[in-house]
Amino acid sequence: MKTVLAVEAGGGTARNLTITLFLVFVAVTLAITIWASRQTKTATDFYAGGRSFSGFQNGMAIGGDYMSAASFLGIAGIIALYGYDGFLYSIGFLVAWLVALLLVAELLRNSGRYTMADVLAFRMRQRPVRTAAAVSTITVSIFYLLAQMVGAGALVALLLGIKPGTTFLGMDADTAKVATIIMVGALMIIYVTVGGMKGTTYVQIVKAFLLMTGALVMTVLVLAKYNFNLSALLGDAAATSGKGSAFLEPGLRYGVEVAGNSTQTFYNKMDLLSLGIALVLGTAGLPHILIRFYTVPTAKAARKSVLWAIGIIGTFYLLTLALGFGAAALVGGKEIIAQDKAGNTAAPQLAEELGKSFFGGDLGGATLLAIIAAVAFATILAVVAGLTLASSSSLAHDFYANVIKKGQTSERQEVRVARISALVIGAVSIALSIYAQSLNVAFLVALAFAVAASGNLPAILYSLFWKRFNTSGAVWAIYGGLVSAVFLVFFSPVVSGAPTSMFPDHDWQWFPLSNPGLLSIPFGFLCGWIGTVISKEHDEDKYAELEVRALTGAGAH
């Protein structure tokens, strides 16, 4: 195999470099977290970082939160294997920020305090709405956490050169993956419980800087390899892919036209539309992204942070184009699939090839591979910390403080429960991830987006813009969207009935689309409307107050 990671080619060089760089990053971020813990004195400090971050800092942190392992490893891999169609993810993720900027960012910042449910429950009965919001937040966050932590286990085993039949420190591949998942889970619990939002935000800023730098260096090296001639790069990628010009055209993976089967062709095109809708609308309903808007002091800073995030994320997704096509051209689809069927190792494999070309043989390949591996670790750690914070905040602030204690609790008690919640959610995620190692990571991420867009987004938009919206509508919207998304995915080809399914040997699928967004998102909006109109509850004064707060920031904490 041409692209065997340099662990074998260069002895233990890559392994040692990777471990060293990873330990350096962990040491630096733990130091940041301990420093931040000394600044964390109130609930506002823990949940919202004391609302002390500038627009640029928060924009960097949002970028750090958003550019997950799925973005760095997954998108580069999809582009490397499927060309043009893989870039659809980049476009969808980026366009999604326009929805967040135009509809959610400023209004949410002005209306709430710590969590998404603050806005939903403002003019409604607290207990049912906050319970529904907490259930939705934890569901979305845990699916996201599983994806990151399962990816971490696979990545570490890969980068340490642990394959079936080989060992590291006496551990075989499976044991090493479990150990990695436990280690990543333990670190994320420390980041959240010790540093709160301040510690987590600074970790995400550092990670965003590292990820942008790593991606930029690799992009420059790829372009330099082709004398900065994009046409030559794309031509070589198409030729190496074995698919010719089709590699640079739509329809290789999504919206595939099946000759003689108009029904399947129609389903394929609807599936593409469904995926696009979920990606574009999901971001504005992701709990760990929404709580970021509370960390800035003003609505103007919230707008500015989203603009910075769009710039940072947009630049990064443009770089994934060069990384994906560069991997296709320089590594080759066969070598990528031989290493990882899903293509998740395309970026590390490209780093090794570039290191060999520009920095001299196996040692150069091992060095650049180790750097990019450390960046990938940083990416996973920062994202899981943000997700854990979002779910523990919702459990403590929404469920404990406002549902169980009915608002009769001190800030100190609330923060203590948030820290305990982070520990519990972290432990649950670690346990589920150990048993979920065979699951499709892309499925988990796509489901998180579909659930967020189906349940959270209808409730948020109705709450901000519909005067008649009430408690019944909010509960119906959240549970309707949440249940329909999970239900449809369970009966889709993603779970059973296809060679690429989670359970390929079983077949209970009847829903033909892989992504439920096309049906579950409108269904979430429909449930919200039905729940509202069948209830007589109505409070125009509260809506007027919310509208003033949302538009002016008056009364915002």
Side-chain angles (χ1 to χ4, degrees), residues 167-445:
T167 61
F168 174 67
L169 298 177
M171 296 183 291
D172 60 19
D174 291 338
T175 308
K177 286 181 182 179
V178 171
T180 302
I181 288 170
I182 293 170
M183 179 188 65
V184 170
L187 282 170
M188 81 180 180
I189 292 167
I190 292 169
Y191 290 150
V192 174
T193 55
V194 175
M197 179 58 91
K198 276 193 178 178
T200 301
T201 299
Y202 282 118
V203 169
Q204 286 160 342
I205 291 170
V206 170
K207 168 258 170 143
F209 175 77
L210 289 174
L211 185 60
M212 289 296 291
T213 303
L216 191 60
V217 167
M218 287 177 66
T219 298
V220 170
L221 293 178
V222 166
L223 294 176
K225 186 86 174 170
Y226 287 91
N227 296 316
F228 294 89
N229 185 333
L230 274 175
S231 181
L233 168 61
L234 295 176
D236 201 8
T240 310
S241 72
K243 301 179 179 74
S245 61
F247 191 70
L248 305 177
E249 297 170 0
L252 204 58
R253 174 163 181 171
Y254 299 110
V256 179
E257 295 197 9
V258 183
N261 191 338
S262 57
T263 303
Q264 190 58 50
T265 299
F266 174 76
Y267 287 149
N268 290 344
K269 292 187 182 300
M270 288 300 100
D271 209 11
L272 171 61
L273 181 61
S274 189
L275 174 67
I277 290 172
L279 293 179
V280 169
L281 297 180
T283 299
L286 289 175
H288 68 294
I289 298 296
L290 295 178
I291 64 170
R292 286 247 140 257
F293 299 133
Y294 297 133
T295 64
V296 290
T298 63
K300 182 180 179 182
R303 286 196 304 274
K304 191 178 289 185
S305 65
V306 177
L307 290 172
W308 273 111
I310 289 172
I312 293 163
I313 294 166
T315 303
F316 173 75
Y317 284 135
L318 282 175
L319 299 181
T320 60
L321 187 62
L323 299 182
F325 283 114
L330 299 174
V331 180
K334 288 183 180 177
E335 301 297 330
I336 294 168
I337 291 172
Q339 193 69 62
D340 185 279
K341 288 181 181 178
N344 290 327
T345 57
Q349 286 176 278
L350 174 63
E352 186 186 10
E353 286 297 316
L354 292 172
K356 287 179 180 178
S357 297
F358 286 93
F359 306 114
D362 292 337
L363 180 61
T367 303
L368 191 57
L369 170 65
I371 293 169
I372 297 305
V375 170
F377 290 144
T379 297
I380 290 167
L381 283 174
V383 172
V384 295
L387 287 161
T388 308
L389 184 67
S391 47
S392 64
S393 297
S394 183
L395 203 55
H397 181 65
D398 296 328
F399 192 69
Y400 174 76
N402 287 287
V403 175
I404 295 176
K405 291 292 186 178
K406 302 180 184 178
Q408 303 299 312
T409 182
S410 68
E411 285 194 347
R412 183 183 291 272
Q413 285 177 308
E414 199 175 314
V415 170
R416 187 172 70 247
V417 170
R419 287 182 164 135
I420 295 169
S421 300
L423 187 64
V424 172
I425 289 164
V428 169
S429 300
I430 290 169
L432 290 175
S433 298
I434 290 170
Y435 292 103
Q437 290 182 71
S438 62
L439 300 189
N440 186 308
V441 172
F443 150 71
L444 294 168
V445 173

Side-chain angles (χ1 to χ4, degrees), residues 440-526:
N440 186 308
V441 172
F443 150 71
L444 294 168
V445 173
L447 180 58
F449 266 77
V451 171
S454 304
N456 295 346
L457 188 64
I460 290 168
L461 293 184
Y462 277 149
S463 190
L464 289 171
F465 298 108
W466 189 16
K467 186 183 294 185
R468 191 178 169 185
F469 194 53
N470 54 33
T471 304
S472 174
V475 172
W476 276 53
I478 294 172
Y479 287 134
L482 180 73
V483 171
S484 64
V486 174
F487 177 79
L488 291 176
V489 167
F490 184 76
F491 289 104
S492 76
V494 171
V495 176
S496 71
T500 55
S501 299
M502 287 168 55
F503 303 103
D505 299 329
H506 300 274
D507 186 3
W508 58 75
Q509 68 99 5
W510 51 262
F511 182 63
L513 309 184
S514 295
N515 193 290
L518 191 64
L519 293 184
S520 62
I521 296 172
F523 186 73
F525 278 98
L526 178 63

